Amino acid sequence: EQPSSTEGIFSTFFHILRQLDRSWKVRFLVMTAIKIFIALFESLTVTWIAGFVTMLTSLDKISQNRFYQIISAIFPGLKHQEPMDILFWSSIILVAIILSKSILRLLSIMISSRFAIRLQIYFADQIIRNTMNQPFSLFVSRQSSEIIQCFNGEITFEAFF
């Protein structure tokens, strides 16, 4: 029986969390929370655009528009405004939502990139530390050039970042 895609996502999510230290878990959860927040802003943007377009198509019946009623409930000062004023403020709010979403997306890209690079360095460091703490017999039984070549690549990687 195949697990559903949702089960696969959650199992991968929890598997990653089990592999990380406490400070890395916090970073990972913050990054995940920002991505969820961006998804909410995406939904809000699409909803706002759809409502804005429906208001544009029926300016003469704007008070009967469902989107207008929702906006009026959120912003009570718009109830007694002219239709053009309502459209103006709706467009201002739409632009603010889009700019906020864009800023969050840029922040998310920056945090994700830094997280991925630092996580690679963290795992490389753990691999080197664990290898160096192995008994000497391991190094004697294997070709030492193979181990040195692995270290050389890891050290170069860490020095670069």
Side-chain angles (χ1 to χ4, degrees), residues 16 41 74 161:
I16 290 171
F41 263 86
I74 296 171
F161 290 106

Side-chain angles (χ1 to χ4, degrees), residues 12 21 63 156:
T12 302
D21 291 344
S63 62
T156 304

